[in-house]
Every structure is written in C-alpha cells, then in structure tokens.
Amino acid sequence: FKVRARALADDFGMDVGDARKIWAFGPDGTGCNFLIDATKGAQFLSEIKDHVDSGFQWATREGPLAEEQCRSVIMRLLDITLHADAIHRGSGQLMPAARKVTLASILTGKPTLLEPFYLADISCPQDATGGIY
C-alpha cells in the first residue's frame, strides 16, 4: 500500500493519506476509478465495506448518462450514519444506496461522454477485398 500511495502521490499529485485508504478500483476491481475511505471514527465500516464497494462497482460499470463505463471518478466516503440494528445494514439497503449516491455525485461533477473508438482487424481472401472497402 505504501509503494502504491507514494507512486500516486509523486506521479499524479494525489494525497498520500487518500492513496493509502483506497477501498476499491472500479469497475470490476481493475478500472481507473477509486473508492476512498476518508471517514474519521465511523463505526461498522468493516461490515459495510463489501456492500458499498458493490454499489460503487455497479455505478461505475453502468454510468449515469448512457449506462456506459465511467472513467476518472474518485469517490470519497466522508461521513456515514448507519442504523444501530444490524439487520438494516444489509446488502439490500446499502448497495442501491451506494449506487445512487455514486451516480448523483458523478452527475454533480458535470460528466461528459467520450467518443467511442473501435478498431477492427478484417481478414479475407485477396479476391474479396473490393467488397470490404
């Protein structure tokens, strides 16, 4: 974690404290979006981490504009208030809420659509190349 945090701080100007508290990359755990735990003294975080991460993955996989993958999103979890009863901290309550919060936060940041890029490699016999071009 320290090596990754130092690399993010040196190469991209990210705060070292935030870089050490990255919960997840999204979508699918390998993307260029970050979910960062920036809370101070919050309780039950270990119980909800997987559910919040799943909601974040869902939101960055199907973005707010055209259900496209998101790029360059940093979601900081600053504060959290949870119900005292553990039954109300399940995936059915937290995943949709985390997804909606992530999508709403992305929309307040003025997102844009990227132009699609498609590369095709077509193989065919020499006598059929006229129909391809």
Side-chain angles (χ1 to χ4, degrees):
F1 291 119
K2 290 182 178 182
V3 173
R4 179 180 65 194
R6 181 54 46 203
L8 287 171
D10 292 343
D11 297 341
F12 302 105
M14 190 173 186
D15 181 49
V16 176
D18 282 349
R20 286 185 180 157
K21 296 180 112 186
I22 293 175
W23 263 7
F25 296 95
D28 303 322
T30 59
C32 60
N33 306 307
F34 299 141
L35 175 61
I36 298 173
D37 171 27
T39 59
K40 304 261 191 276
Q43 295 180 350
F44 309 117
L45 283 180
S46 61
E47 293 180 23
I48 66 162
K49 180 178 179 179
D50 292 334
H51 305 310
V52 174
D53 178 29
S54 296
F56 175 73
Q57 299 295 334
W58 184 10
T60 55
R61 186 173 34 257
E62 300 172 5
L65 295 180
E67 295 188 6
E68 78 293 347
Q69 273 194 358
C70 295
R71 294 187 55 83
S72 303
V73 172
I74 297 177
M75 184 73 178
R76 286 184 183 88
L77 185 63
L78 298 175
D79 190 22
I80 190 161
T81 304
L82 295 170
H83 198 279
D85 192 4
I87 197 156
H88 298 290
R89 295 192 298 262
S91 64
Q93 289 79 25
L94 291 173
M95 275 180 52
R99 177 181 180 261
K100 288 178 183 177
V101 165
T102 303
L103 293 176
S105 299
I106 292 170
L107 285 174
T108 59
K110 299 178 185 161
T112 58
L113 289 174
L114 298 175
E115 184 177 349
F117 183 81
Y118 185 72
L119 177 65
D121 186 21
I122 300 172
S123 299
C124 68
Q126 184 69 25
D127 58 345
T129 56
I132 294 174
Y133 293 108

